[in-house]
Amino acid sequence: MSQPRRKRAVVLFSGGLDSTTCLAKAYADGHECYALSFDYGQRHTAELAAARAYVSEHDWIVEHKCVRLDFDGMGGSALTDPAIDVPDAGGEGIPSTYVPARNTVFLSIALGWAEVLGAQAIYIGVNAVDYSGYPDCRPEFIHAFERMAALATKAAVQDGNRVSIETPLIDLSKAEIIRQGVALGVDYARTVSCYQADAQGRACGRCDACQLRRAGFAQAGVADPTIYQSGR
C-alpha cells in the first residue's frame, strides 16, 4: 500500500542551531520540507554555507532557496552595517543586533512561496525564552502575522486554505531545544550561530548568540561541538 503524501511546509532555515532544529522538527511532524534561506547582507555568511552543506547531506529536503535581500543597504543593525560593532552579550533593551522588520519580511516571502507550493504550514525557529529580546520573536507577533496571512492570500480568501505559522521552539529553553534536536538526530557541529563567525565558521565566543549557545549545551548536558576562534 502506498504511503499517504506528506503535507508541504516552508521552513525558514538560516543554518543556525534553532532553525536546523526547526527543520528537523518539521520533517518529524510529517511534512515535505522546502527550506528557505536569506542572504540579506549579514556579517555571518558562514551560517549560509552551513545551511547549504546541511541541505546537500539530507535528501528529504525537497528544495532549498536562498533569496538575496538588500538589508545591508538599509543599515540600522550591527548584523548588516559594518559601522556598528557587534556587542558582547548582555546589556539593557533590544540589542543593536536586531535587524529592522527582518522576520516580517522573511515570513512574507515564505508566505508567497507557501501559496505557490500549496503548503499548509510555515515553520520558523523563533524563541521567546532564551533569546535577545527581539520584538519579532514574540508570540504576539506570530499570531498577528498569521491573522494577516489569512487576509492576504488568494488561497485563503478564495479557497479557504490558510497557512499556519508553526513555532515549535517558541516556549523552549536553549537546553530544551538542544535536547530535542539531539533526539531528532541533528548534528550541531554542522550549524553556525555566531554573529561574527569567520570564513571557516569558527565562533567568536563573545556575542549574545555564542553565549546563549554555550550555556544551552552546558545546561543540556551535551558536549558543545562549536569550534571557537583561538583564545576564546
Side-chain angles (χ1 to χ4, degrees), residues 6 29 67 82 96-97 103 107 113 137 147 161 178 208 216:
R6 286 172 169 257
D29 286 347
V67 176
S96 62
T97 50
N103 283 345
L107 281 171
W113 196 23
C137 288
R147 291 194 299 271
N161 297 326
I178 290 168
D208 211 27

Side-chain angles (χ1 to χ4, degrees), residues 113-169:
W113 196 23
E115 185 170 22
V116 170
L117 292 170
Q120 289 79 21
I122 296 170
Y123 276 69
I124 180 172
V126 293
N127 180 264
V129 180
D130 286 343
Y131 77 124
S132 298
Y134 300 152
D136 54 1
C137 288
R138 297 175 300 154
E140 298 94 322
F141 165 73
I142 297 299
H143 296 155
F145 190 93
E146 191 172 54
R147 291 194 299 271
M148 181 278 296
L151 300 172
T153 62
K154 175 183 174 183
V157 173
Q158 178 174 285
D159 305 322
N161 297 326
R162 295 189 175 191
V163 175
S164 65
I165 310 299
E166 302 294 330
T167 57
L169 313 184

Side-chain angles (χ1 to χ4, degrees), residues 185-196:
V186 174
D187 179 4
Y188 285 117
R190 309 293 289 165
T191 66
V192 176
S193 301
C194 178
Y195 290 148
Q196 47 191 353

Side-chain angles (χ1 to χ4, degrees), residues 1 19 21 26-27 31 53 79 85 116 138 158 170 175 189 192 194 206 214 227 229:
M1 182 181 294
S19 72
T21 308
Y27 183 69
H31 289 286
L79 298 191
D85 291 334
V116 170
R138 297 175 300 154
Q158 178 174 285
I170 200 162
V192 176
C194 178
R206 302 187 311 272
R214 195 199 302 266
I227 299 174
Q229 296 166 25

Side-chain angles (χ1 to χ4, degrees), residues 72-117:
D72 50 333
M74 181 172 68
S77 170
L79 298 191
T80 59
D81 188 341
I84 303 174
D85 291 334
V86 173
D88 291 346
E92 296 292 329
I94 297 172
S96 62
T97 50
Y98 163 69
V99 181
R102 179 175 59 180
N103 283 345
T104 305
V105 174
F106 287 3
L107 281 171
S108 296
I109 294 172
L111 179 63
W113 196 23
E115 185 170 22
V116 170
L117 292 170

Side-chain angles (χ1 to χ4, degrees), residues 34-75:
Y34 293 77
L36 180 60
S37 304
F38 294 93
D39 178 358
Y40 59 93
Q42 66 269 49
R43 292 172 184 257
H44 48 309
T45 54
E47 203 175 39
L48 289 176
R52 294 186 184 97
Y54 191 89
V55 169
S56 71
E57 296 164 2
H58 295 82
D59 60 8
W60 49 263
I61 301 170
V62 179
E63 188 175 352
H64 178 218
K65 287 186 183 296
C66 186
V67 176
R68 169 65 182 157
L69 299 171
D70 189 19
F71 275 26
D72 50 333
M74 181 172 68

